[in-house]
Amino acid sequence: GKWKQTWVDNEGAYLDFVGGPEAGSFILARSFERDGKRIHQRMVFQDIRADSLKWLWQRSDDAGATWTTQWEIDYRRLP
């Protein structure tokens, strides 16, 4: 009952996100450990309409208590 998105680049980096609809948005999330610290990432798709959406890439260093937006992209369909 969940969605999964996997990213693999030409250098072998592998990102796996899992999630689905949540509170009016669509959220895919993952966590991993780096240098002994757990890091959480998520992609939040919101304001989803037939011709546009907003995509936020976010990171949390405190188990998801707070999120920092790393980048924000507005997608719009060309006329």
Side-chain angles (χ1 to χ4, degrees):
K2 294 194 177 208
W3 288 81
K4 182 172 184 175
Q5 185 177 89
T6 303
W7 294 28
V8 180
D9 71 13
N10 63 344
E11 295 180 3
Y14 177 89
L15 305 177
D16 56 332
F17 293 84
V18 176
E22 188 176 319
S25 296
F26 191 89
I27 300 175
L28 298 169
R30 69 186 288 263
S31 65
F32 60 96
E33 193 168 310
R34 180 184 295 150
D35 300 326
K37 185 175 183 181
R38 174 93 14 215
I39 298 170
H40 302 269
Q41 293 176 319
R42 70 182 185 181
M43 296 183 290
V44 180
F45 301 91
Q46 59 189 30
D47 300 329
I48 301 168
R49 303 171 194 265
D51 61 351
S52 65
L53 65 90
K54 182 180 297 284
W55 175 26
L56 305 176
W57 182 283
Q58 298 181 325
R59 174 184 170 137
S60 175
D61 295 323
D62 59 8
T66 59
W67 292 93
T68 302
T69 297
Q70 305 292 291
W71 71 71
E72 178 178 323
I73 301 171
D74 288 316
Y75 282 95
R76 289 192 173 78
R77 185 179 303 214
L78 291 174

